[in-house]
Amino acid sequence: MSTTLRSIKALQPLMDRVLVQRVKAEAKTASGIFLPESTVEKLSEAKVLAVGPGGVDREGNKVKMSVDVGDRVLIPQYGGSPVKVGDEEFTLFRDHELLAKIKE
C-alpha cells in the first residue's frame, strides 16, 4: 500500500524516520544501447531527502540521526513504507534500517 501526495515538500518524517529516493540505474549501456525498463534492476543506493528529528532512548534522551539530508545511503532490498508523488517513488525507512552511508 502506498500513499499519494501532491508535493514531496509536504512530507516531514517524524521521530527516527528517513525519506529516501532510490538512485535510478542507467538505462543505457556504455556503448549507447538503451535497455528496456524490465531489464534494468533496482539499485540499493538512495539519496536522503528528509530526516526526522531523531528518536528517544529508554532513559528519555534524544538519539541523534546517523544521516543528513543529501547523504547517499545503501538501503535494504525490501522494507520501508512507499510514498508516491506523481510518477516519482520515495520510501520512508527508520534510521536503524539503513545499511550504510556512502562516503565520497
Side-chain angles (χ1 to χ4, degrees):
M1 182 169 159
S2 65
T3 304
T4 304
L5 300 170
R6 292 178 190 242
S7 169
I8 197 62
K9 292 181 182 182
L11 189 66
Q12 174 61 45
L14 299 176
M15 299 295 288
D16 64 340
R17 289 182 176 78
V18 179
L19 179 69
V20 300
Q21 184 175 29
R22 282 187 192 268
V23 174
K24 296 189 192 291
E26 287 292 323
K28 186 168 88 170
T29 65
S31 60
I33 299 171
F34 286 94
L35 302 171
E37 281 188 36
S38 61
T39 62
V40 178
E41 62 184 61
K42 284 187 176 181
L43 296 179
S44 294
E45 182 181 330
K47 182 177 179 182
V48 176
L49 301 178
V51 296
V56 179
D57 65 11
R58 291 182 182 181
E59 288 78 38
N61 300 320
K62 193 170 188 173
V63 178
K64 186 178 182 291
M65 298 294 284
S66 62
V67 294
D68 293 313
V69 174
D71 286 348
R72 289 180 22 222
V73 294
L74 287 180
I75 57 175
Q77 186 175 6
Y78 301 104
S81 300
V83 179
K84 192 165 183 163
V85 178
D87 292 337
E88 297 289 323
E89 292 183 13
F90 305 91
T91 310
L92 274 168
F93 287 99
R94 288 191 175 272
D95 188 39
H96 69 272
E97 293 176 331
L98 300 176
L99 303 176
K101 186 188 224 181
I102 301 171
K103 295 189 177 187
E104 303 204 27

